[in-house]
Amino acid sequence: MYNTQAVLTNNNEIILNYLIETIGCQMNVCESDWLGSVLSTYGMSRVSSLSDADIVILNTCSVRYQAEQKAFSYLGRVEEFRQQNPDTKIVVTGCMAERLGLKIKQRFKSVDLIVGAKDIDITALKIIDLCNIEAEKQEELNIPSDIARYVTIMRGCDNYCSYCVVPFVRGRETSLDAEIIVKKCSLFVKNGAKEIMLLGQNVNSYQYNDVKFTSLIKKISTINGLERIRFMTNHPKDLGDDLVSVMATEPKVCSHIHIPMQSASNKILKAMDRKYTYERYLELINKLRNVITDVSITTDIIVGFPGETESDFEKTLKAVKDIRFGGLYVFRYSPRPDTKAFELIDDVPLEEKKRRHAIILKESNKISVEIVAAMVGSMQQVLAERFENGVIEARTRGGRKVFVKGGTGKDLGKHLNVVIKEAKINSLFGDVV
Ligand code: 5AD
Ligand code: SF4
């Protein structure tokens, strides 16, 4: 029996409403998206509020302590809801489900199903089973027609950076079948997608039989109707000249690349097992900038890794000033069980981590403001992704969000030339030419 939110259709079939709450990276967003598409083919319907949900799915992240705390507090709220709605099912998926497994149930007794990140492929089937659904599966996946879609091309990671829990929760690196990826992209494009973001922990090391990452990009770029290709994320050690050259020559590949630097101190990079030096990293940045003039480079930085002295930190701060990233994410080091760094003494006090975090953020914000201010008056080619209240939400090739006036809903999915009139730190405002 399901709770009263379940809806009866004309033929008296029960439609179950599912809610997916996602914590963490694009990988998780992508997997939640895909899970949603599969559940929809079984006749389930996606809702966005807890009060409408028959099944609540929490897709979790373990990369930092805070992310797990966020999942626990969400589960606390869902358990309260469940007391009033005893038929609601609670499902926990993703990295924390993999890492903690049944331990989650010791704390949150009403959780019905826990499926770890490694079992993502069978999550939908397990949910169907949990709900005793016997509905006939529709032939084609029920894919919403979003303009920009994520497509996972590989799972897991073999790099074992010393701070990172990903290899433990997501398992060995596996590249997915190239032909299936291309078919999936084509299906999305058929359903209205204009932009595909290829996802993996380290897309540069994609290799399926004789298809490597750049060959995969070339295959995808032949899909008619597809306008833009993006990819995420990269490890500097595997980023070869072939990718730089595909970015420079393949018009559908956007001029944005995310390359986590983590630190600019060679001592810390070594302790992190990152397998490159700061000099090597810089060489890569220069190469990209020489070949792709408008390239936007973004990065990830960790502050307060064990043993990071003031002088190590100063090196990272100087690198941020010198490189002038198009944007960056900065994280306070968080010790994760199972990782090699977990054995090290977490010797940078929290207050100091917070101070270093704030300094990097302040510097990066200052640079971002300068970069966007310099774009005012320029003409940008943007892809229209959404239309709301008379304003088009679009993105530049470099990945910046632009709110555009002067267009209509008919412009969705089209490239527009826009003059930038105003710039704020995370968004630009412009008019259609
Ligand atoms: N502590 C802090 N940040 C981390 N990241 C990964 N593991 C940790 C950790 N234990 C950051 C890295 C990575 C990003 C996704 O998360 O910067 O690139
Ligand atoms: Fe974690 Fe390093 Fe793999 Fe990225 S490359 S997922 S930081 S182990």
Side-chain angles (χ1 to χ4, degrees):
M1 270 313 283
Y2 295 100
N3 69 17
T4 46
Q5 283 94 30
V7 183
L8 281 178
T9 64
N10 292 341
N11 356 324
N12 277 0
E13 284 166 4
I14 293 173
I15 295 186
L16 292 178
N17 291 331
Y18 65 91
L19 170 72
I20 305 188
E21 182 71 22
T22 307
I23 299 173
C25 63
Q26 275 92 346
M27 210 75 174
N28 271 16
V29 174
C30 173
E31 285 170 357
S32 292
D33 251 24
W34 188 247
L35 184 60
S37 307
V38 180
L39 293 180
S40 303
T41 66
Y42 283 90
M44 297 194 190
S45 157
R46 188 165 184 163
V47 292
S48 53
S49 114
L50 191 57
S51 56
D52 295 330
D54 302 298
I55 307 152
V56 181
I57 304 161
L58 177 62
N59 195 0
T60 58
C61 169
S62 277
V63 97
R64 279 170 296 278
Y65 173 79
Q66 288 296 343
E68 291 195 344
Q69 293 308 307
K70 198 168 161 189
F72 290 145
S73 78
Y74 186 78
L75 282 175
R77 267 181 286 144
V78 180
E79 278 215 324
E80 264 172 43
F81 174 78
R82 158 86 156 236
Q83 279 170 8
Q84 314 303 322
N85 304 270
D87 294 322
T88 311
K89 306 276 185 223
I90 307 175
V91 181
V92 185
T93 64
C95 292
M96 193 180 87
E98 185 71 49
R99 198 178 85 73
L100 297 179
L102 286 173
K103 285 189 195 141
I104 296 172
K105 223 174 143 51
Q106 286 166 6
R107 192 160 153 193
F108 299 97
K109 302 215 165 24
S110 46
V111 168
D112 297 282
L113 177 65
I114 299 170
V115 200
K118 287 179 191 159
D119 293 327
I120 179 76
D121 294 336
I122 53 165
T123 310
L125 293 176
K126 289 201 163 193
I127 293 174
I128 303 300
D129 205 31
L130 175 74
C131 301
N132 282 321
I133 292 185
E134 288 174 17
E136 291 270 307
K137 187 174 163 312
Q138 290 165 22
E139 271 303 294
E140 283 224 350
L141 281 182
N142 199 348
I143 296 168
S145 64
D146 286 353
I147 307 286
R149 302 289 313 210
Y150 295 128
V151 174
T152 301
I153 63 164
M154 62 201 301
R155 300 196 197 289
C157 181
D158 280 348
N159 287 321
Y160 291 93
C161 301
S162 68
Y163 51 80
C164 186
V165 79
V166 167
F168 302 94
V169 292
R170 295 219 166 225
R172 296 305 301 256
E173 187 176 287
T174 339
S175 296
L176 306 184
D177 186 324
E179 209 175 304
I180 292 177
I181 294 170
V182 176
K183 277 198 186 137
K184 204 173 195 179
C185 294
S186 303
L187 194 60
F188 282 151
V189 174
K190 208 175 106 198
N191 279 274
K194 299 287 174 192
E195 177 178 306
I196 299 280
M197 161 86 93
L198 303 172
L199 288 177
Q201 300 297 344
N202 183 9
V203 288
N204 322 120
S205 61
Y206 175 89
Q207 179 87 43
Y208 186 83
N209 294 337
D210 57 348
V211 185
K212 55 182 185 155
F213 184 52
T214 43
S215 329
L216 181 70
I217 290 188
K218 284 181 191 158
K219 280 179 196 284
I220 293 171
S221 67
T222 62
I223 298 173
N224 274 335
L226 178 65
E227 305 279 351
R228 285 180 168 184
I229 300 171
R230 297 185 190 279
F231 52 88
M232 200 167 212
T233 179
N234 303 275
H235 193 301
K237 78 176 167 57
D238 299 315
L239 211 158
D241 289 350
D242 57 341
L243 182 59
V244 180
S245 117
V246 165
M247 285 187 75
T249 54
E250 173 47 61
K252 288 186 184 176
V253 179
C254 288
S255 50
H256 167 228
I257 186 159
H258 186 76
I259 321 175
M261 176 177 82
Q262 311 300 5
S263 168
S265 151
N266 288 338
K267 181 190 95 188
I268 296 297
L269 285 171
K270 192 150 195 280
M272 287 176 166
D273 278 340
R274 288 290 286 175
K275 302 177 182 73
Y276 55 86
T277 59
Y278 174 60
E279 290 70 28
R280 170 81 188 91
Y281 183 85
L282 203 54
E283 229 174 77
L284 195 60
I285 302 293
N286 290 336
K287 194 186 294 168
L288 279 159
R289 286 187 168 158
N290 282 337
V291 183
I292 313 153
T293 36
D294 64 338
V295 70
S296 165
I297 300 168
T298 55
T299 204
D300 291 343
I301 286 171
I302 298 177
V303 293
F305 186 82
E308 186 188 71
T309 60
E310 183 62 24
S311 130
D312 295 317
F313 170 70
E314 289 292 334
K315 285 180 185 150
T316 304
L317 179 61
K318 181 169 183 313
V320 168
K321 289 179 182 168
D322 290 347
I323 296 177
R324 297 178 66 80
F325 292 102
L328 62 77
Y329 298 99
V330 53
F331 307 103
R332 299 193 301 256
Y333 170 68
S334 163
R336 307 309 294 132
D338 297 327
T339 62
K340 202 170 143 197
F342 195 65
E343 311 295 319
L344 303 172
I345 300 166
D346 183 18
D347 58 358
V348 181
L350 180 62
E351 283 312 306
E352 182 56 21
K353 283 181 188 164
K354 284 187 181 167
R355 188 187 73 89
R356 293 179 189 178
H357 181 274
I359 292 174
I360 297 282
L361 203 58
K362 191 169 165 213
E363 187 58 39
S364 151
N365 286 345
K366 189 181 130 222
I367 295 166
S368 290
V369 167
E370 287 165 9
I371 293 175
V372 293
M375 290 171 87
V376 174
S378 72
M379 172 104 88
Q380 300 285 328
Q381 193 194 52
V382 302
L383 180 67
E385 291 180 21
R386 253 180 285 275
F387 182 71
E388 224 171 286
N389 303 327
V391 178
I392 290 176
E393 201 180 304
R395 243 170 235 281
T396 64
R397 283 172 54 79
R400 289 198 186 274
K401 205 178 259 185
V402 188
F403 294 95
V404 184
K405 280 194 196 147
T408 69
K410 286 190 183 142
D411 293 322
L412 280 183
K414 289 189 187 151
H415 271 135
L416 305 173
N417 287 322
V418 167
V419 172
I420 303 299
K421 291 281 167 71
E422 197 192 335
K424 288 195 184 149
I425 182 158
N426 287 321
S427 37
L428 299 159
F429 301 82
D431 297 342
V432 176
V433 177

